[in-house]
Amino acid sequence: MSSVKDWALPNPVSENRSGLIGKTVDRYEGRLKVTGTAPYAYEVEPPSAPAYGQAVSATIARGRIVSIDTSAAEASPGVKLVWTSRNVPAQAARGERANPRSQRGSNPTMASDAVEFYGQTLAFVAADTLENARAAAALVAVTYETQPATVDFMASLDQAEMPPGEEDTEIGDFGAGFAASPVKLDETYFSPIANHTQMEPCATTAWWDGDKVTVHTSIQMVKGGQHALAETLAIASDKVHLITRYIGGGFGGKGQSYDDLTLAALAARELNQPVKVAYTRQQMFQATIHRPAVQMRVRLGAEPDGRLNAFSIEAITHCARNVPFTEHAANFSRSLYAAPNRLTGHRLVRMDLPGAGPMRAPGEATGMLSLECAMDELAEKLGIDPVELRIRNEPTVDPETGKPFSVRQLVSCMREGAQRFGWERRNPTPGQVREGRWLVGMGMAAGIRGNFLLPAKAGIRITADGTVTLLQGMTDIGTGTYTILAQITAETLGVPLDQVRVELGDSDMPPAPGSGGQFGAATAGSAAFETGMVMRRTLADLAINDPNSPLFGADPTLVTFANGNIALENQSESLASLVARAQPDGVYVEGSISPAADARDWSQHTYGAQFAEVAVDVVTGEVRLRRMFGVFAAGRILNAKTAKSQITGGMIWGIGTALTETNPVDPRYGSFLNQDMAGYLVPSHADIVNVDSIFLDETDDKANPLGIKGVGELGICGTGAAIANAIYNACGVRLRDYPMTPDKVLEGLIAKGL
Amino acid sequence: MKPFTYERPKDVAAAVKAIRTSPGAKFLAGGTNLLDLMKVEIEAPSHLVDIGRLPLANIETTRDGGLRIGAMTTNTQVASDPRVRSLYPVLAQAIVSGGSAQLRNKATTGGNLMQRTRCAYFYDTAKPCNKRQPGSGCAALGGLNRNSAILGASEACIATSPSDMGVALAALDARIETLTAEGVTRSLAVADLHRLPGDTPELETELKTGELITCVVIPAAPTGGQVYRKVRDRASYAGGLVSVAAVGNRVAWGGVALKPWRAEKTEAALAAGVPIPEAVAAELAAAEARGKNGFKIALVGRLTAAALDETFAGRRA
């Protein structure tokens, strides 16, 4: 196993001789996407005319199917098959893993008569056209025996239990420390259920060739999808060829497979014909995972100078009755601020809802909504500027583990952001700045998000024309993965960017964990880099052993790669000429990355600080963002353009969290109120007037050989709290209940006599 | 989606006849609402009569100095017409506050008036809705009804009308002209076009089967300021929580009822010299909170008072 010390040595990426690393590079697949020629899973052309499938969803939260009448659907025009739990082909039992190395267990559909959540697949129709499939699906009539369901989170808090295998983390004596603190804060915050709202729904096109199935599907993890389908169908995983080339947004919601994958594969086998299945927009809201609601109690005890004595976050959240998941809304805080007495933990309510699961920055995105408001409230109690309060609680080592930080530029983020934003113009007394009917205020929040490196592989092929192709079972969920992998490969091999091709999203390629947890770039990128280094050694060996090479007999350690050439001092030739002559069939190598044995000796995170200015309509309670600025420190930046797009995209999502996004459960039905994008409101262009961000210069040589870290999730961390704090500064209304819609703000304005 | 047939008649008479001779037929204009509803089978017409290219897309000045706006003018066309912008800024403002630019490019004046409620329970075909399925009940009653009506609602339906344009037209005393299935032309006030739900929320307008709106006629602009103000959860592309069109001392509300709501008691009180807050309260005395929408009463009151402050000062939106 490697050590982080190896990663600190100079390498082609850190030397960056071609300057490709950090450069503004347009998206590798951008032209295909904007011209509509990038085939997404549902649009892939199968080898012969496909049938179209449509799932029928449950309309109760919990109970049993008494009967399903499919006769009208079966008689409907164009219908090829109708399945229910009575006649769906056999699948492995839920969770079964015939192969212990499978990353995911069986995920059968319509496995029994039990209904476990509203939206669950109860029947399936395949027909000759999508329209006929949908029309027939609407004719399936289900009668139920309903059972009492737990679907109202706030009414079920008394059922909260310790999540399996977890315990609270206590350092020092929180109770005593809090009691002895001269200044105390004890408040409770709430963030609601939220949906990923990907533009592209879950979708699969499947066909069989003998005993092997090819599935084009929209999923963040190639191996996870391949293994889940293989286990479900009880076939070997090499009988599943999973391809996911372009993904119209995942955000955590496509970290797993859904019934579209299973049903397309089963129906294609049954009909001996390709089958396409997509979730409807309504099914995306009702039948895929969501970010769970979280209630967070924050207690802070401080000295008059602002130093924290006691620190606690207790989060209550929920998950589906049979699908354990904990939104770890307190974990981030264990590394954020210094305090000798600390208590953090989680409680979980089991509910009869679809699975709760990860959504962009799970844990941080919700948890920071509470703590970063609480810090603002504490700052006001103490009469200390919110930035200064955070600086006074900056730890020198990780406050819970005592480990050193790899790199920590949180204070620099806050100082740089305050200066560029004009934070000194903020009036600390709320409600003082009025422009016509608008009350204007500023708020800020700190941000932290963990950084990870997972094992991954990659392959590189160089053909006789000099084309370099990176092959990896990695996904690009719209983040820029294609582009940064091309940059890393080109820089590592010293070839121009246009000489590099990138092929991703295929289970036949060397595996990478996929996209999630902001580990994608570091993990896939490091594997690509290591594979590039293998290729350099392979090419050097090839050259020095080839009597026709100008490098014949040279010392391989002195060979360099630049401008598409392999060189030794003034002797050089192009990679194309070397490969064409010495190995005309092409050179293919694989490489891999693994976490360093000592990587976890450091507390390793990405950091940010966000500043918001909002205006509150004093008549209506409407909040409009005026400007927002974020400063982030996330290691070396690979691509200035895609990284900025990622980080500001996260900020924009956080704006939605603060102001609009919620999906309440109707307790009478156990269904979500909003099931389309006219009801579930994400920010529109008009909401995002002036949002900007910068990255601080940074390299984290404890992270990976590239010194990079993730940027996919950091941008949303703290955003909502910065806006909540700005609302308070603008109008004096302190809301602890997200999102901060006009009705809630108005109630506060009226209570203040405004 | 149910299979359907389609035709595009050449003139208004043929369009009306096509509907009359084909039970289950519907007019298709911009399609921004109807097609969405067809996809989820809330609307399931057997035949579509496409009126989108009928010669009803002109805006003409009337002899009394008003405007006659063809039913097939697009929302964008009306909102950007210089006469509309100078004479009826309240209308231009109302239109551009609705939908998105793409929708306004397709949506028509007639279609805007005929759009159906955005009540979430109306759209959720798994739930009872008397509008969708008469007699099935109203899921919004006792439900997550933050955006439901505070005026003119019934135990059968508490939905609201989504149109912004209609609110401004009601305040402007606009009228529509129609051609009935029998070929008769008639005229009625925009404010009288939509029915309150009562026991029959499935009956949404006073139009008879096959009756086609051919134009909207706006009388000459009254004196005084004009303001349209809409409160919504996000800055664009969101239905109103409440809205107000104030034209001089005339007031119409959106988001409070199943139709653009003329606040006649407020107008009468203003005419009698009652101060603005009391005049607004006069209309709101009948307002009724139903669960989660109570905030709308205070909200529309504050919004109206602020709008009237502007129109009384003679300002134009």
Side-chain angles (χ1 to χ4, degrees):
Chain A
M1 242 180 169
S2 55
S3 158
V4 297
K5 292 190 190 73
D6 305 331
W7 294 345
L9 301 172
N11 67 45
V13 165
S14 62
E15 290 177 346
N16 196 21
R17 291 190 180 172
S18 312
L20 290 174
I21 302 300
K23 197 176 166 186
T24 291
V25 177
D26 289 346
R27 272 173 202 269
Y28 178 86
E29 80 290 15
R31 177 174 287 271
L32 292 178
K33 285 183 173 171
V34 299
T35 56
T37 51
Y40 288 78
Y42 200 77
E43 297 151 0
V44 167
E45 186 121 0
S48 60
Y52 296 83
Q54 175 68 46
V56 180
S57 300
T59 56
I60 64 165
R62 189 170 179 227
R64 303 197 71 78
I65 303 163
V66 173
S67 68
I68 301 187
D69 183 353
T70 57
S71 53
E74 280 158 10
S76 192
V79 169
K80 290 167 177 279
L81 65 79
V82 181
W83 282 340
T84 68
S85 63
R86 314 269 155 89
N87 64 340
V88 71
Q91 302 154 79
R94 179 154 69 189
E96 200 156 291
R97 279 172 219 240
N99 179 351
R101 296 181 63 183
S102 285
Q103 293 175 10
R104 298 264 179 180
S106 171
N107 180 28
T109 179
M110 299 182 277
S112 79
D113 281 351
V115 177
E116 297 183 0
F117 63 90
Y118 188 107
Q120 178 186 324
T121 303
L122 299 187
F124 173 75
V125 177
D128 57 348
T129 66
L130 173 62
E131 290 76 12
N132 278 338
R134 285 184 75 156
L139 299 173
V140 174
V142 185
T143 54
Y144 305 95
E145 174 193 301
T146 60
Q147 291 163 359
T150 303
V151 295
D152 187 339
F153 175 61
M154 294 307 276
S156 312
L157 294 176
D158 59 340
Q159 296 171 35
E161 294 173 350
M162 183 68 81
E166 296 190 15
E167 52 189 28
D168 292 342
T169 299
E170 182 156 20
I171 308 270
D173 183 338
F174 171 77
F178 187 66
S181 294
V183 182
K184 295 188 187 68
L185 177 132
D186 182 354
E187 295 291 354
T188 299
Y189 304 80
F190 176 77
S191 66
I193 287 174
N195 295 103
H196 302 79
T197 328
Q198 310 94 332
M199 284 294 284
E200 183 205 20
C202 296
T204 303
T205 299
W207 65 84
W208 289 77
D209 190 4
D211 63 351
K212 187 167 182 178
V213 65
T214 297
V215 286
H216 288 261
T217 192
S218 184
I219 193 166
Q220 292 170 231
M221 279 80 175
V222 174
K223 281 286 159 198
Q226 181 196 24
H227 292 169
L229 183 59
E231 292 291 352
T232 306
L233 302 185
I235 58 178
S237 60
D238 64 4
K239 299 296 183 190
V240 173
H241 186 196
L242 186 142
I243 301 166
T244 182
R245 233 167 246 149
Y246 305 107
I247 298 168
F251 312 116
K254 292 176 184 168
Q256 63 177 86
S257 61
Y258 296 92
D259 292 346
D260 60 298
L261 178 63
T262 313
L263 287 166
L266 285 173
R269 190 175 66 188
E270 180 82 10
L271 296 172
N272 195 25
Q273 175 187 19
V275 172
K276 295 185 180 223
V277 182
Y279 273 28
T280 62
R281 183 58 64 190
Q282 290 77 22
Q283 287 169 332
M284 288 305 293
F285 282 95
Q286 302 285 9
T288 70
I289 61 168
H290 53 265
R291 194 199 291 285
V294 193
Q295 179 176 282
M296 295 157 281
R297 183 184 185 193
V298 180
R299 283 177 290 172
L300 302 173
E303 294 296 322
D305 66 2
R307 278 179 302 121
L308 289 168
N309 286 323
F311 177 102
S312 172
I313 300 184
E314 293 161 296
I316 306 176
T317 180
H318 60 88
C319 70
R321 188 172 298 282
N322 298 315
V323 190
F325 171 82
T326 306
E327 173 83 11
H328 285 118
N331 280 7
F332 77 94
S333 71
R334 295 172 183 163
S335 301
L336 191 52
Y337 299 124
N341 303 296
R342 319 171 66 89
L343 173 65
T344 50
H346 306 89
R347 298 292 182 276
L348 197 53
V349 182
R350 302 280 184 149
M351 294 177 67
D352 300 299
L353 292 174
M359 184 166 117
R360 204 169 198 172
E364 285 87 347
T366 47
M368 304 204 83
L369 295 172
S370 67
L371 178 61
E372 288 304 287
C373 267
M375 288 295 280
D376 198 70
E377 297 191 54
L378 182 64
E380 188 185 36
K381 280 182 189 240
L382 292 163
I384 298 175
D385 180 84
V387 172
E388 178 60 25
L389 175 64
R390 289 167 172 88
I391 291 172
R392 289 186 192 176
N393 288 288
E394 175 71 2
T396 51
V397 295
D398 188 288
E400 301 230 342
T401 65
K403 291 178 184 175
F405 294 108
S406 59
V407 187
R408 180 172 165 118
Q409 294 205 76
L410 175 59
V411 170
S412 301
C413 287
M414 291 191 288
R415 288 203 166 121
E416 183 76 16
Q419 196 256 322
R420 288 183 182 238
F421 187 75
W423 180 250
E424 78 285 353
R425 295 200 299 273
R426 170 181 177 269
N427 186 328
T429 308
Q432 301 302 303
V433 182
R434 183 154 180 166
E435 294 174 14
R437 66 180 205 254
W438 299 100
L439 288 164
V440 182
M442 296 185 198
M444 65 80 59
I448 182 172
R449 168 73 182 152
N451 185 62
F452 308 96
L453 177 70
L454 304 179
K457 293 181 178 171
I460 295 178
R461 173 177 295 122
I462 304 184
T463 45
D465 65 353
T467 301
V468 176
T469 305
L470 178 81
L471 301 138
Q472 197 174 39
M474 176 59 188
T475 55
D476 185 329
I477 57 172
T479 48
T481 310
Y482 277 105
T483 317
I484 57 115
L485 291 175
Q487 290 173 265
I488 291 167
T489 304
E491 190 64 59
T492 305
L493 291 175
V495 299
L497 202 52
D498 61 8
Q499 206 173 320
V500 176
R501 297 186 60 218
V502 180
E503 293 185 14
L504 301 180
D506 189 320
S507 59
D508 286 350
M509 294 174 181
S515 304
Q518 81 171 18
F519 56 65
T523 299
S526 297
F529 161 77
E530 293 289 359
T531 308
M533 296 306 287
V534 174
M535 179 58 88
R536 284 170 65 116
R537 291 191 287 274
T538 305
L539 293 175
D541 281 348
L542 206 55
I544 64 174
N545 290 311
D546 178 0
N548 294 321
S549 167
L551 277 60
F552 179 64
D555 177 353
T557 62
L558 299 179
V559 170
T560 61
F561 292 81
N563 306 317
N565 295 329
I566 181 169
L568 180 69
E569 293 168 355
N570 57 357
Q571 297 290 310
S572 78
E573 70 173 322
S574 70
L575 300 189
S577 110
L578 170 63
V579 173
R581 185 186 61 250
Q583 203 160 314
D585 289 345
V587 179
Y588 176 76
V589 302
E590 292 190 358
S592 65
I593 186 76
S594 296
D598 50 357
R600 291 291 138 195
D601 293 350
W602 283 268
S603 179
Q604 199 180 99
H605 309 272
T606 58
Y607 298 94
Q610 301 198 35
F611 296 80
E613 181 179 313
V614 305
V616 177
D617 187 323
V618 73
V619 174
T620 66
E622 288 169 289
V623 178
R624 295 291 177 254
L625 184 72
R626 290 199 160 180
R627 61 194 180 100
M628 186 135 201
F629 187 70
V631 179
F632 301 95
R636 187 194 308 281
I637 296 305
L638 291 169
N639 181 331
K641 188 176 186 179
T642 55
K644 183 160 186 158
S645 176
Q646 276 279 83
I647 210 89
T648 47
M651 293 169 72
I652 289 166
W653 195 320
I655 294 162
T657 304
L659 297 179
T660 57
E661 290 187 50
T662 175
N663 212 346
V665 175
D666 189 323
R668 300 167 301 169
Y669 304 100
S671 59
F672 295 120
L673 176 70
N674 300 311
Q675 48 178 8
D676 56 42
M677 290 158 88
Y680 186 88
L681 300 184
V682 301
S684 68
H685 283 88
D687 295 290
I688 308 303
V689 179
N690 180 356
V691 173
D692 201 3
S693 64
I694 58 163
F695 289 101
L696 297 183
D697 281 341
E698 184 173 298
T699 302
D700 191 337
D701 61 16
K702 309 295 190 300
N704 50 61
L706 311 180
I708 65 170
K709 294 194 278 198
V711 297
E713 302 189 333
L714 175 63
I716 193 177
C717 299
T719 319
I723 292 171
N725 296 338
I727 293 170
Y728 176 74
N729 182 246
C731 66
V733 175
R734 174 63 73 180
L735 294 177
R736 302 182 185 90
D737 177 15
Y738 293 88
M740 297 176 178
T741 47
D743 46 336
K744 296 176 192 171
V745 180
L746 179 65
E747 190 182 353
L749 291 171
I750 291 172
K752 292 184 72 71
L754 287 169
Chain B
M1 187 185 276
K2 300 278 191 209
F4 58 90
T5 51
Y6 169 93
E7 73 174 292
R8 189 197 297 152
K10 288 208 163 23
D11 55 46
V12 174
V16 169
K17 182 170 174 236
I19 294 280
R20 191 175 65 231
T21 55
S22 176
K26 278 215 162 241
F27 291 122
L28 170 71
T32 58
N33 190 211
L34 180 62
L35 296 186
D36 280 354
L37 293 169
M38 285 170 67
K39 287 177 190 169
V40 287
E41 296 189 9
I42 294 169
E43 294 275 11
S46 55
H47 184 62
L48 285 184
V49 178
D50 185 347
I51 54 173
R53 297 189 201 179
L54 292 180
L56 298 172
N58 289 331
I59 303 176
E60 297 160 8
T61 305
T62 60
R63 258 175 290 173
D64 72 349
L67 288 180
R68 172 187 296 270
I69 298 172
M72 288 302 106
T73 49
T74 67
N75 288 177
T76 298
Q77 182 190 352
V78 175
S80 54
D81 186 277
R83 292 161 293 180
V84 171
R85 293 168 73 87
S86 63
L87 296 171
Y88 310 110
V90 67
L91 178 59
Q93 278 296 310
I95 291 174
V96 298
S97 74
S100 66
Q102 293 91 333
L103 289 171
R104 295 192 296 269
N105 287 340
K106 284 298 289 178
T108 63
T109 299
N112 186 310
L113 290 170
M114 295 301 290
Q115 67 182 307
R116 305 192 70 185
T117 182
R118 305 292 162 140
C119 175
Y121 293 100
F122 171 72
Y123 267 81
D124 185 345
T125 52
K127 305 296 191 296
C129 171
N130 288 321
K131 217 176 224 318
R132 199 166 11 82
Q133 225 175 346
S136 61
C138 172
L141 273 176
L144 302 167
N145 53 18
R146 171 175 176 262
N147 207 5
S148 59
I150 54 172
L151 287 163
S154 71
E155 290 303 305
C157 180
I158 59 171
T160 59
S161 159
S163 175
D164 290 293
M165 185 192 78
V167 179
L169 289 176
L172 289 166
D173 275 340
R175 300 180 68 81
I176 60 167
E177 287 182 8
T178 70
L179 188 66
T180 68
E182 290 74 37
V184 179
T185 301
R186 67 170 183 143
S187 162
L188 70 162
V190 166
D192 295 334
L193 170 63
H194 297 91
R195 299 165 59 113
L196 289 174
D199 295 331
T200 54
E202 72 277 14
L203 302 177
E204 297 185 345
T205 70
E206 297 294 345
L207 300 187
K208 306 282 185 284
T209 304
E211 188 170 2
L212 178 67
I213 299 174
T214 52
C215 68
V216 171
V217 181
I218 313 178
T223 55
Q226 299 182 15
V227 172
Y228 189 75
R229 291 277 302 276
K230 174 180 179 177
V231 181
R232 46 187 156 177
D233 284 328
R234 67 180 172 192
S236 170
Y237 199 13
L241 296 170
V242 301
S243 67
V244 59
V247 176
N249 60 2
R250 285 190 233 148
V251 175
W253 288 335
V256 300
L258 200 42
K259 60 187 287 184
W261 188 272
R262 272 293 284 268
E264 289 168 357
K265 292 193 177 68
T266 296
E267 293 176 10
L270 290 170
V274 174
I276 288 173
E278 287 83 358
V280 172
E283 187 75 28
L284 286 172
E288 198 180 348
R290 288 178 188 266
K292 302 184 187 303
N293 67 348
F295 74 98
K296 284 190 174 185
I297 299 174
L299 179 57
V300 76
R302 292 161 70 98
L303 190 69
T304 304
L308 287 169
D309 281 342
E310 289 190 34
T311 59
F312 282 19
R315 241 185 287 168
R316 292 197 159 187

